Amino acid sequence: MKKLSIIFPLLVGAFLMAACETDRDDNPTIDLTQKQQAITLNIPTFANSTYDLANTDSVTLTCTAPNYGFPATTTYVVQLSIDEDMSNPSELTTTYYLNRMVVPGKEIAMATTKQMINKKGLKQEDFPVETPAYLRIRAFIEGTPETETLSNIVKLNKVKTKFALPDVAMPDSMFVNGTFTDNDWSKSVKTIQVNNSTQNHWRMVWMDSKGVRLSPIQGEPNFSDNMITPVHVCNTTGFKVSSDGLVTAENPGWYVMLIEGTGNNEKRQLTLTYRFYEATVWLIGPSLNNVLGDDIKDCWTEKGLRENYTQYVKFTTPTTMDGVFVSPPLVGNVTGDDGGVRAYVSIKWDWWQTEFMAYTNDKDRTSSTRIIKYRGNGEEVKPFVDGIQGQRVYLNFRNDTGEIRNE
């Protein structure tokens, strides 16, 4: 018989060790071969009234807890359907760990909107609407699907909602998955917003014939969750994108990928336009003053540095997927007070709009491995990074790590 055993430590020290070695007959267990008993969802206070979701901050729900035979951390998820039989319900975003749930009115409105679009064929112009709505709770122990149980169904007599889906817009960040992340969404890397822009994102990627995909979540793309249809466009020679979003390259290598997202609320479409640039990283800033002289402004003139001091500022670009980008040796000492070691990729904006650097790992300051932090669409990342003459910067864009060390 398949069972989940939970052993509570009763003794400490030597007694604890003895207890761990003892097979107790009275250990609490869940019989996973038996269907879990249903829980009871209580009727909300105003269930027979009208919930105007545009003016309802939240709805409080309470239910009984599952009887697993011992205290357990239970996850509660709210389901909503506009059908009395609870067919094809929408699950609300927030999960709960207590059997008293303060559910945001906005989440109920979004779920109701999706239900009316999917089941009634409504369009944006058909809103606002009024409809009965039915709620149910799904409860389970995380990681043990056999513990799942459902509550009874409760009716909200009438909910009124405007069209409640979010505007179609580029997400704050997207996840990129491909060969260079082992095609494993758990290893996927984030795009970075161009500073002063929310609709333009960039990312250093390894491209090949197997391609990369973008997703608004760290998993298989689910744009349809908000009724959004992605439209993929790529006009860069040597690259192409399929209708389902697989972006491929004729010549394998590292590239700077730029993605521009343009939303159309009327059509519920998000057009993603892909462009590709040479994968070159550049140094900039006061670490270069030893070769530039006394004019501090020269160390920030990116075009002049790239053209006239290439050997001091241009990283080597790896030719293999496993390779790292390596800077020239720093030509001078620099501290954070001076402005620090800086790097960027050049696309079509000023350097500071696409800058980054390898920063000490906050979780392990003794490690030589650093984390690449990107400025993105925010202020400068501080404190700035120190550097010592002769050191090189090593950057690994497969996992956003790096080092600053001697050769």
Side-chain angles (χ1 to χ4, degrees):
M1 181 178 292
K2 183 180 180 184
K3 294 188 177 183
L4 173 67
S5 298
I6 308 296
I7 304 176
F8 294 96
L10 301 176
L11 301 173
V12 296
F15 295 101
L16 177 60
M17 295 176 62
C20 291
E21 296 173 356
T22 302
D23 184 13
R24 297 176 56 85
D25 292 334
D26 59 349
N27 288 338
T29 62
I30 303 176
D31 185 351
L32 298 181
T33 64
Q34 302 297 318
K35 185 177 181 180
Q36 299 302 312
Q37 294 182 353
I39 57 176
T40 300
L41 173 60
N42 299 314
I43 298 174
T45 304
F46 302 106
N48 292 322
S49 303
T50 298
Y51 286 96
D52 183 352
L53 297 176
N55 299 298
T56 301
D57 290 335
S58 62
V59 175
T60 299
L61 301 177
T62 60
C63 66
T64 57
N67 182 15
Y68 294 126
F70 58 89
T73 300
T74 305
T75 301
Y76 299 89
V77 178
V78 181
Q79 297 181 333
L80 180 146
S81 177
I82 59 172
D83 295 319
E84 188 173 2
D85 63 0
M86 208 67 196
S87 59
N88 299 315
S90 297
E91 291 201 338
L92 276 58
T93 304
T94 304
T95 56
Y96 304 87
Y97 300 97
L98 295 174
N99 55 340
R100 181 182 185 276
M101 297 144 280
V102 181
V103 184
K106 182 178 180 180
E107 290 190 17
I108 298 175
M110 289 180 64
T112 304
T113 299
K114 292 177 184 179
Q115 288 276 310
M116 297 301 287
I117 291 173
N118 284 334
K119 295 181 176 180
K120 301 295 184 181
L122 268 59
K123 300 184 182 301
Q124 188 168 346
E125 58 268 23
D126 297 324
F127 289 79
V129 296
E130 291 185 0
T131 180
Y134 300 87
L135 301 178
R136 182 172 66 188
I137 304 299
R138 182 169 71 92
F140 55 94
I141 297 176
E142 196 77 43
T144 313
E146 298 92 339
T147 61
E148 179 177 293
T149 182
L150 297 172
S151 76
N152 56 304
I153 299 169
V154 165
K155 179 182 180 181
L156 302 183
N157 186 56
K158 189 179 293 184
V159 296
K160 178 180 179 180
T161 182
K162 298 178 180 178
F163 185 83
L165 297 186
D167 288 344
V168 180
M170 191 68 161
D172 289 342
S173 64
M174 300 185 72
F175 292 88
V176 185
N177 193 27
T179 308
F180 75 117
T181 56
D182 299 327
N183 290 307
D184 182 346
W185 281 107
S186 69
K187 298 179 182 179
S188 59
V189 292
K190 285 186 176 182
T191 59
I192 306 101
Q193 286 185 344
V194 173
N195 195 279
N196 275 352
S197 173
T198 56
Q199 70 183 63
N200 288 289
H201 292 205
W202 70 274
R203 178 72 214 184
M204 187 75 78
V205 293
W206 174 268
M207 294 291 299
D208 54 27
S209 60
K210 295 181 180 179
V212 301
R213 289 187 186 277
L214 268 69
S215 174
I217 63 168
Q218 196 170 15
E220 290 294 334
N222 70 336
F223 292 93
S224 60
D225 190 52
N226 283 321
M227 310 296 178
I228 294 173
T229 300
V231 178
H232 303 277
V233 179
C234 180
N235 296 322
T236 304
T237 303
F239 300 84
K240 62 181 180 180
V241 60
S242 64
S243 59
D244 65 348
L246 179 66
V247 194
T248 57
E250 292 178 2
N251 299 313
W254 285 98
Y255 298 92
V256 176
M257 178 171 67
L258 176 67
I259 314 103
E260 180 181 8
T262 305
N264 184 317
N265 283 322
E266 183 178 348
K267 295 182 178 181
R268 300 296 297 174
Q269 288 182 345
L270 177 64
T271 299
L272 298 171
T273 302
Y274 303 83
R275 298 180 178 87
F276 292 88
Y277 300 85
E278 182 180 352
T280 306
V281 178
W282 307 90
L283 287 175
I284 198 168
S287 66
L288 302 164
N289 280 341
N290 278 7
V291 297
L292 295 177
D294 297 328
D295 189 351
I296 189 67
K297 293 181 180 179
D298 286 347
C299 71
W300 305 110
T301 55
E302 53 181 298
K303 184 177 180 182
L305 290 173
R306 293 198 300 265
E307 293 178 353
N308 302 318
Y309 297 90
T310 308
Q311 70 270 34
Y312 300 110
V313 296
K314 186 178 182 179
F315 282 63
T316 59
T317 301
T319 57
T320 64
M321 183 178 67
D322 294 325
V324 296
F325 291 70
V326 183
S327 77
L330 300 182
V331 295
N333 297 336
V334 63
T335 68
D337 293 336
D338 297 329
V341 182
R342 308 283 192 101
Y344 68 99
V345 295
S346 178
I347 305 179
K348 58 179 180 179
W349 293 276
D350 292 332
W351 69 269
W352 51 269
Q353 294 180 268
T354 51
E355 73 164 305
F356 51 90
M357 186 39 64
Y359 283 76
T360 302
N361 188 339
D362 295 334
K363 295 182 179 179
D364 185 4
R365 294 185 176 275
T366 63
S367 173
S368 62
T369 301
R370 299 166 173 238
I371 297 173
I372 298 177
K373 294 183 181 180
Y374 300 88
R375 178 169 181 174
N377 200 5
E379 299 298 324
E380 294 175 310
V381 181
K382 295 181 178 179
F384 300 130
V385 174
D386 297 340
I388 299 173
Q389 184 176 2
Q391 288 185 324
R392 294 177 185 264
V393 181
Y394 299 81
L395 301 173
N396 183 344
F397 290 105
R398 292 190 68 186
N399 57 10
D400 281 343
T401 61
E403 292 183 273
I404 302 177
R405 57 176 171 80
N406 294 320
E407 296 184 62

